[in-house]
Amino acid sequence: MEFYAVNGKKRPIRLCDATRRFAYESLNRKYGLDTLEHRAVDLDGVEGYESMTMLERYDVAIETIVREARIRICENEKLSGAATFGAAIRHGVPARYQGQTICMSISHLTVDFETVLKKGIHHIRKNAEQSLEAHRGTDREPFLKSCLKCLDAFDVWHGRYLDALRDRPEYRANYENLKNVPHKPATNFYEAVQSLWFTFAFLRLCGNWPGIGRIDYLLGDYLKKDLADGRLTLDEAREILAHFFIKGCEWINGKYIGSGDAQHYQNILLCGVDEDGNEVTNEVTYLVLDILEELGISDFPTSVRVNRNTDETLLRRVAEVMRYGGGVLAVYNEELVIDALLRDGYELREARKFANDGCWEVQIPGKTFFTYYPFDSLRLLQQKTLRAYDGTVDFADFESLYRNYIAEIRGEVERIFQSQQKYFEKIGDSPKDWKWVEQIPCTVVSLFEEGCIEKGASYQEGGPVYNLKSPHIGGLADTVNSLYAVKKLVYEEKKLSLRELCEILKKDWEGEEQLRQSVLNRYSYYGNDNDEIDAIAARLLSDFADICVSFNDKCGYRFPAGVSTFGRQIEWAPHRGATPYGRRAGEVLAANCSPTPGTDTNGATAIIRSYCKADLTKLASGAALDIRLLPSSVEGEDGLQALVGLMRGFVLLGGFFMQPDVADAAVLREAQERPEDYRTLSVRVSGWNARFVTLNKEWQDMVIAQNEHV
Amino acid sequence: MHKMNMYNRDNRLRVTEIQRFCMHDGPGIRTTVFLKGCPLRCAWCHNPETQKATAELLFEERRCIGCGACREACAYGVHGGIDRHEIDRQKCRACGACADVCPTHALTLCGKEMSLEEILAEIERDRAFYGENGGVTLSGGEPFLQGRAAIELLRLCRQRGVHTAVETCGYFDEQLLADAVSVTDLFLWDVKDTDGERHRRYTGVSNERILQNLSRADAFGAKIRLRCILVAGVNTDAEHYRRIASLANSLSHLDGVDLIPYHAYGGSKATLLGLADNGRRDWIPTEEQIAEAREMIGR
Ligand code: SF4
Ligand code: SF4
């Protein structure tokens, strides 16, 4: 039972054999494969289906799902509840009518688990009943009825687990816990973990991909109390919590599906301040770190909120876990994120609650509707400003070129804004007179989002407190490098005219090797701490953020700016022409806020400095930086201190979010050859983790390319 | 002895490279300033480009695309050859003109003079990452070969609250010692061989001054981490380990002993200078040899 470690070091053992075996078997696909056979329920036999409203169809689907779902109880499990339909893993509600999945499910949100733990499902039902009474006879009624139906469905599924566990003495604890939770408030740590897991599993069963959020904040007080009362030891608590993580890797089937199978956005946040500004870090924080360290489970991409006062012991512990690789831990600069949220209009107490959406985009959990709109800034530069090199464009100076380009960015954000109009219906003359248009049903997640039940509006129909559509700029480094090369070559050194350069680019640098090499090597690009080019990046991000903000509150959404590519640069690359900074058409592009692979030569600190020169408080959705480190470079006490130093510097300089991954390109190539030997090897892809061998070849190659240049 | 300082004026240093985000040149994150010139000529040298005290032209053939720009730029006819790029190093004045135009960095001038202000500006860049542990490391070559200016640089770093470390071969003017110790938070002190005869054979100089400086530095209160290269078949014997152990015991402010197993990569760097690859696979110690050394030295 070896859990893969990139640095070749033995992972420490704290958990008992049975738990370790459970983890090992789960990681090796013992439980997920049957989801391939049981993909979805079939609604073909439902009477009158055709004449039902969308919402009624959804309700029938959920009712059928909870009745027909296979009950899975794993050997020795300490927590029960399992999402067992394959279609859910593919982001759909696992119900079909005439062979078609009836609708997509919801992701990119972290729901309000706090209410479930502290008040229970009964409380949610009471709210729904009251709201229904209040909204009787209005157009809110159908949604609120749907809420109650979904709560009934929850009870049915819950009841089936109680039945399955009742007469099995080995699962007595599971049964006893489930008799109380999630319906009633959790009264101790074990119940709280079961309550959290069962609710989460229900959301997943119905197809949704929620994040977990701040697990130490959610569970810390329960554990403190149990420890004080002598009900539980830390070792016992670790076992229970380990089962939570292990249950989280049964939802895989190990199939190659492009971006990998572990990326179900079950993100976790650790540490940081609570609403009142007090540090949250507690015993649960350290237990999570212990578990990640021992089992290397990557299915819950975990981030740590770090601030200037973060304890040295904690940072060292984080660094220790990071060194085993797998990209299981990332870092938020808490103060900066809170500043960004304040700047975006949140109250301080609200901003302090931030978690992420299941990826790294920041949101207030349980209160936020979120989606994002990615676009490639390099495409705009090439195809609009430089008209894909047809030689017709010219600009008197760099400033005019830049302004033209920013106008294109504005055009892109404007298009995103315009595309939102379909969600609103005009009901009057003033710009404020509109109402939400009915959307695809999503009652199950709406139950756990503050505002939905109160307003009688679903998650997608303006129910939540905050409704965000975030334009995300991609291709940052590639664009900035291109702009910089044009600025130097054409406008400063005047080596050739813009038209001549376009001519060369159109021919993909053919016959211009000397010039190409010189452009590639003699300028210092984004990621090398070159103030001149970093200023272009900072300016571009600032201008982009201003554009986004200008669309705020012109409809039901706000438009916080973000930077991301996630993995999209793989799809973009083949469609991009030669770049002014010396790359040929179709070459590998940059990820998120990271430098273009191969252009950074000064190491991680220089990359962080380049990135931090932008005012990231303007990017309220987030801006992720991937940092790749070789296992050998973070070895020993020196290496540990270096990782801590990297995190501290990142915070001091005003970074937003950093995903350091300790990986080795050579090892990854080997895993590509012999996947069977590397089943538990995970990598940080971009905001999420995946077991490397479940990525398809293109994605694997991208991850390898990103690690090649460290 | 004063002649050892003749290479530079007091406020300038001849630098081969400034490397940021170094993690194994002392504690924390460090910026390592490699200085040019070394009094030793170790047969296993990993940084042969730092040996000579003056600037030198480096050529990495693999990167050359044969564009000929260097030929046009050089006033001394150094670059020649038709099928293969040939460099007549005898004629080279190390002016750097060719390196300035080479589009691929196949040519670089190693050992530019920099002012202390310029170097400090580079060091300052990573200040946010140093924390309490990290900082600057002077390495080389032998930093104290450029004695006064090196010490001045360390003093200025100290003044700015940057932790200072020096990686030294120990072979330098003892008159510098008191000042060197006063501005250096940590010495990474190479003890290449405790056997005097072998030391002379493999490094070109006797180890007498090195060991003398070491004990005097200790007397001045220097914090010292010993760095001992392990070269299989050369210094992988029990007697040497015993002497290292007793040397370590003799130091009152010892920070530890690092064993540095020889590796062959440095050898290929010699080819940049137009020399033969001096890497030797038979010098690479085995895991067992490393373990044995660690065991016997007991640190
Ligand atoms: S450094 Fe100067 S002298 Fe030497 S080869 Fe280059 S141009 Fe010629
Ligand atoms: S300038 Fe550089 S690339 Fe061109 S021939 Fe000379 S060494 Fe080769």
Side-chain angles (χ1 to χ4, degrees):
Chain A
M1 276 198 300
E2 277 297 309
F3 297 93
Y4 187 82
V6 170
N7 59 1
K9 297 268 179 321
K10 284 252 176 293
R11 292 174 179 273
I13 297 177
R14 301 184 185 90
L15 297 165
C16 72
D17 264 0
T19 298
R20 288 171 57 80
R21 169 145 309 109
F22 184 24
Y24 189 75
E25 289 176 350
S26 294
L27 283 168
N28 281 288
R29 309 190 294 168
K30 178 166 174 185
Y31 298 106
L33 287 173
D34 60 353
T35 57
L36 292 174
E37 291 145 35
H38 305 269
R39 305 196 65 89
V41 297
D42 198 338
L43 303 180
D44 287 0
V46 174
E47 214 168 302
Y49 184 87
E50 294 283 352
S51 59
M52 289 178 178
T53 64
M54 282 203 304
L55 199 54
E56 286 164 348
R57 291 176 183 182
Y58 179 84
D59 293 343
V60 168
I62 301 298
E63 281 161 17
T64 317
I65 288 167
V66 297
R67 258 187 295 132
E68 296 184 8
R70 296 179 70 248
I71 297 293
R72 179 195 291 153
I73 294 168
C74 309
E75 204 181 325
N76 292 323
E77 71 177 19
K78 290 183 185 293
L79 302 170
S80 293
T84 47
F85 283 118
I89 301 176
R90 306 298 288 268
H91 209 306
V93 173
R96 286 189 184 145
Y97 184 71
Q98 296 188 346
Q100 297 286 317
T101 300
I102 65 150
C103 65
M104 291 296 283
S105 55
I106 304 291
S107 61
H108 288 93
L109 82 166
T110 290
V111 301
D112 177 13
F113 288 116
E114 192 175 357
T115 298
V116 177
L117 293 183
K118 292 197 178 145
K119 300 187 173 158
I121 299 286
H122 283 329
H123 170 84
I124 294 174
R125 178 182 289 276
K126 213 176 294 154
N127 278 352
E129 284 165 354
Q130 278 168 6
S131 186
L132 178 59
E133 281 320 309
H135 289 96
R136 277 275 184 231
T138 72
D139 61 352
R140 304 291 89 206
E141 216 181 305
F143 168 74
L144 289 163
K145 282 185 172 156
S146 169
C147 286
L148 290 170
K149 282 189 187 150
C150 289
L151 286 166
D152 291 343
F154 187 95
D155 293 350
V156 169
W157 193 58
H158 182 256
R160 291 181 64 207
Y161 269 93
L162 283 181
D163 290 345
L165 294 164
R166 185 171 294 117
D167 297 320
R168 301 182 65 176
E170 69 274 34
Y171 297 109
R172 183 163 181 86
N174 308 33
Y175 176 72
E176 291 298 329
N177 284 334
L178 278 175
K179 271 190 352 197
N180 294 330
V181 295
H183 289 84
K184 293 186 213 155
T187 60
N188 60 47
F189 179 73
Y190 196 174
E191 278 186 2
V193 180
Q194 174 67 78
S195 178
L196 180 63
W197 175 258
F198 198 82
T199 311
F200 177 66
F202 176 69
L203 283 152
R204 288 209 311 200
L205 175 77
C206 301
N208 307 294
W209 295 11
I212 302 292
R214 306 182 69 185
I215 199 168
D216 49 1
Y217 166 79
L218 291 171
L219 299 175
D221 287 344
Y222 295 101
L223 181 55
K224 266 202 187 81
K225 186 162 177 300
D226 283 2
L227 291 171
D229 295 350
R231 273 184 77 104
L232 205 66
T233 66
L234 266 185
D235 285 339
E236 287 162 350
R238 191 186 297 109
E239 297 286 337
I240 293 167
L241 197 57
H243 279 239
F244 181 91
F245 282 83
I246 298 165
K247 291 286 285 180
C249 42
E250 37 165 75
W251 208 44
I252 57 157
N253 51 38
K255 286 263 290 182
Y256 299 79
I257 48 164
S259 48
D261 79 344
Q263 51 132 334
H264 296 116
Y265 308 151
Q266 318 171 136
N267 283 42
I268 283 179
L269 253 81
L270 298 175
C271 312
V273 295
D274 64 12
E275 281 165 78
D276 302 321
N278 300 318
E279 181 61 45
V280 161
T281 307
N282 56 43
E283 289 80 359
V284 174
T285 317
Y286 286 94
L287 290 184
V288 170
L289 293 173
D290 286 352
I291 292 162
L292 294 176
E293 182 181 43
E294 176 164 354
L295 303 177
I297 288 177
S298 63
D299 296 64
F300 297 87
T302 301
S303 307
V304 184
R305 282 167 55 156
V306 177
N307 58 47
R308 275 162 215 257
N309 304 320
T310 298
D311 206 48
E312 185 78 8
T313 326
L314 176 69
L315 273 192
R316 282 179 67 89
R317 192 74 193 101
V318 167
E320 273 168 14
V321 178
M322 270 179 185
R323 291 200 294 191
Y324 290 96
V328 290
L329 282 176
V331 178
Y332 282 99
N333 177 7
E334 179 176 71
E335 283 158 295
L336 183 117
V337 174
I338 292 174
D339 281 349
L341 292 172
L342 292 177
R343 193 168 181 169
D344 200 39
Y346 292 86
E347 300 284 329
L348 177 60
R349 290 175 62 82
E350 205 67 346
R352 281 171 173 161
K353 290 183 191 158
F354 82 84
N356 48 27
D357 65 324
C359 206
W360 50 253
E361 299 98 315
V362 161
Q363 61 173 234
I364 311 304
K367 290 189 167 189
T368 310
F369 167 86
F370 176 84
T371 55
Y372 70 104
Y373 289 82
F375 68 92
D376 178 11
S377 61
L378 183 64
R379 180 183 63 81
L380 292 179
L381 180 66
Q382 293 191 345
Q383 291 177 9
K384 303 280 181 153
T385 302
L386 299 176
R387 305 254 168 65
Y389 312 123
D390 64 0
T392 61
V393 286
D394 211 352
F395 299 98
D397 47 30
F398 179 72
E399 194 55 30
S400 341
L401 185 151
Y402 179 81
R403 280 168 199 258
N404 176 289
Y405 177 60
I406 285 299
E408 297 297 346
I409 300 256
R410 173 174 289 279
E412 185 72 22
V413 178
E414 171 99 44
R415 270 188 292 283
I416 293 170
F417 172 74
Q418 291 302 342
S419 72
Q420 305 308 311
Q421 300 314 313
K422 62 174 179 282
Y423 298 103
F424 305 100
E425 188 187 321
K426 257 199 122 15
I427 51 169
D429 294 334
S430 124
K432 298 254 170 204
D433 292 341
W434 48 260
K435 59 178 254 204
W436 296 81
V437 170
E438 189 182 353
Q439 294 300 318
I440 294 169
C442 55
T443 314
V444 169
V445 299
S446 309
L447 294 173
F448 306 100
E449 281 284 317
E450 192 181 322
C452 292
I453 289 178
E454 293 82 344
K455 292 184 211 163
S458 86
Y459 175 72
Q460 300 197 91
E461 293 162 358
V465 181
Y466 308 110
N467 293 283
L468 311 179
K469 295 252 172 160
S470 193
H472 274 203
I473 190 169
L476 177 71
D478 308 306
T479 296
V480 168
N481 292 346
S482 298
L483 287 170
Y484 180 68
V486 170
K487 181 171 181 252
K488 296 303 265 188
L489 270 176
V490 176
Y491 297 108
E492 283 177 15
E493 294 167 8
K494 298 191 176 15
K495 287 207 175 128
L496 70 186
S497 71
L498 184 60
R499 292 210 166 151
E500 285 162 338
L501 177 61
C502 284
E503 196 58 34
I504 289 171
L505 294 178
K506 198 172 148 198
K507 291 197 210 128
D508 203 9
W509 289 101
E510 202 154 323
E512 293 290 343
E513 193 53 12
Q514 188 178 341
L515 181 64
R516 189 180 84 88
Q517 287 292 343
S518 156
V519 170
L520 206 52
N521 295 303
R522 304 209 63 95
Y523 298 142
S524 148
Y525 291 109
Y526 172 79
N528 289 298
D529 196 5
N530 167 7
D531 295 339
E532 198 184 345
I533 187 168
D534 296 342
I536 299 180
R539 184 178 177 195
L540 174 57
L541 288 179
S542 168
D543 289 343
F544 164 63
D546 288 341
I547 292 169
C548 294
V549 169
S550 73
F551 290 96
N552 272 354
D553 300 324
K554 289 189 174 166
C555 61
Y557 298 120
R558 294 173 61 76
F559 297 87
V563 186
S564 78
T565 60
F566 297 107
R568 280 191 186 80
Q569 71 274 20
I570 306 180
E571 297 153 30
W572 292 343
H575 306 291
R576 297 297 167 263
T579 58
Y581 62 98
R583 293 298 178 94
R584 293 211 171 85
E587 281 195 42
V588 52
L589 300 175
N592 296 326
C593 283
S594 307
T596 307
T599 57
D600 57 302
T601 52
N602 291 343
T605 54
I607 297 175
I608 294 173
R609 287 216 3 136
S610 278
Y611 155 85
C612 288
K613 282 178 206 165
D615 180 358
L616 300 171
T617 62
K618 293 183 92 170
L619 299 158
S621 182
L625 180 69
D626 313 316
I627 291 284
R628 311 274 164 178
L629 299 165
L630 279 173
S632 57
S633 70
V634 290
E635 246 172 45
E637 173 59 25
D638 290 347
L640 196 71
Q641 285 182 14
L643 265 176
V644 170
L646 220 48
M647 292 188 269
R648 289 246 189 253
F650 174 81
V651 168
L652 281 177
L653 292 171
F656 196 108
F657 177 67
M658 174 168 75
Q659 332 185 66
D661 196 359
V662 181
D664 186 335
V667 172
L668 296 176
R669 265 193 301 272
E670 217 172 285
Q672 215 171 21
E673 300 282 302
R674 292 184 291 118
E676 59 291 352
D677 294 348
Y678 291 90
R679 282 215 195 284
T680 59
L681 162 64
S682 78
V683 287
R684 178 67 68 154
V685 180
S686 193
W688 70 83
N689 296 308
R691 262 173 280 279
F692 182 76
V693 300
T694 69
L695 295 166
N696 72 15
K697 174 92 170 42
E698 268 176 314
W699 285 75
Q700 289 185 344
D701 289 346
M702 174 195 75
V703 174
I704 291 174
Q706 285 175 348
N707 281 291
E708 208 81 74
H709 300 285
V710 295
Chain B
M1 264 305 125
H2 193 254
K3 71 178 188 318
M4 287 180 83
N5 281 329
M6 64 188 243
Y7 300 104
N8 54 273
R9 283 155 281 154
D10 278 357
N11 59 350
R12 296 181 77 76
L13 283 167
R14 206 174 274 289
V15 174
T16 66
E17 203 187 351
I18 299 182
Q19 222 176 56
R20 295 163 61 179
F21 194 46
C22 294
M23 284 154 292
H24 298 288
D25 296 331
I29 292 178
R30 311 196 70 85
T31 297
T32 302
V33 182
F34 291 90
L35 297 179
K36 202 148 166 35
C38 186
L40 270 59
R41 289 292 176 271
C42 302
W44 49 74
C45 181
H46 287 139
N47 294 322
E49 77 283 5
T50 63
Q51 287 183 351
K52 239 172 93 176
T54 51
E56 282 171 284
L57 186 67
L58 304 184
F59 175 56
E60 195 175 352
E61 191 169 8
R62 166 183 83 80
R63 305 190 79 150
C64 174
I65 55 167
C67 69
C70 51
R71 209 166 308 170
E72 273 170 46
C74 177
Y76 307 97
V78 172
H79 299 279
I82 295 164
D83 292 337
R84 193 156 182 239
H85 198 132
E86 271 163 29
I87 297 181
D88 188 348
R89 288 180 179 272
Q90 300 286 305
K91 293 192 200 151
C92 177
R93 315 270 177 101
C95 72
C98 59
D100 283 345
V101 297
C102 173
T104 63
H105 293 314
L107 291 166
T108 46
L109 190 74
C110 173
K112 285 193 195 80
E113 260 200 11
M114 291 176 78
S115 71
L116 298 189
E117 288 69 38
E118 285 169 312
I119 301 171
L120 280 166
E122 271 304 296
I123 293 169
E124 283 286 351
R125 286 193 169 261
D126 274 351
R127 178 183 275 277
F129 299 95
Y130 297 151
E132 280 166 22
N133 302 315
V136 66
T137 300
L138 298 195
S139 181
E142 170 47 52
F144 292 126
L145 195 58
Q146 305 189 48
R148 286 292 153 204
I151 287 171
E152 180 60 9
L153 177 62
L154 292 166
R155 195 184 66 77
L156 291 168
C157 288
R158 262 286 191 79
Q159 206 176 53
R160 294 165 183 229
V162 176
H163 179 276
T164 56
V166 177
E167 189 176 13
T168 178
C169 70
Y171 195 93
F172 57 84
D173 182 350
E174 65 264 25
Q175 290 178 35
L176 296 171
L177 256 174
D179 289 344
V181 171
S182 74
V183 293
T184 306
D185 293 313
L186 176 68
F187 285 90
L188 306 166
W189 200 294
D190 287 357
V191 177
K192 297 171 196 288
D193 207 332
T194 48
D195 180 291
E197 179 41 38
R198 278 197 317 232
H199 198 281
R200 190 184 294 280
R201 181 154 14 114
Y202 285 101
T203 74
V205 302
S206 144
N207 64 5
E208 224 168 282
R209 167 183 282 169
I210 295 171
L211 297 175
Q212 237 166 47
N213 278 349
L214 177 64
S215 76
R216 291 192 58 199
D218 184 56
F220 279 124
K223 187 166 158 192
I224 296 169
R225 202 191 279 195
L226 293 181
R227 301 202 128 187
C228 306
I229 187 161
L230 283 184
V231 186
V234 175
N235 63 3
T236 41
D237 57 288
E239 190 47 37
H240 175 52
Y241 301 153
R242 261 193 289 278
R243 281 193 300 249
I244 290 176
S246 80
L247 198 58
N249 283 333
S250 76
L251 298 175
S252 38
H253 310 283
L254 183 76
D255 184 61
V257 181
D258 289 345
L259 294 181
I260 319 276
Y262 172 83
H263 61 73
Y265 317 129
S268 60
K269 272 201 183 174
T271 62
L272 304 182
L273 293 160
L275 307 169
D277 186 333
N278 64 346
R280 283 183 57 173
R281 305 209 66 82
D282 58 324
W283 275 352
I284 302 172
T286 61
E287 289 296 325
E288 294 78 59
Q289 279 173 314
I290 298 169
E292 187 199 14
R294 194 158 285 141
E295 171 84 35
M296 289 202 56
I297 293 168
R299 305 240 169 211

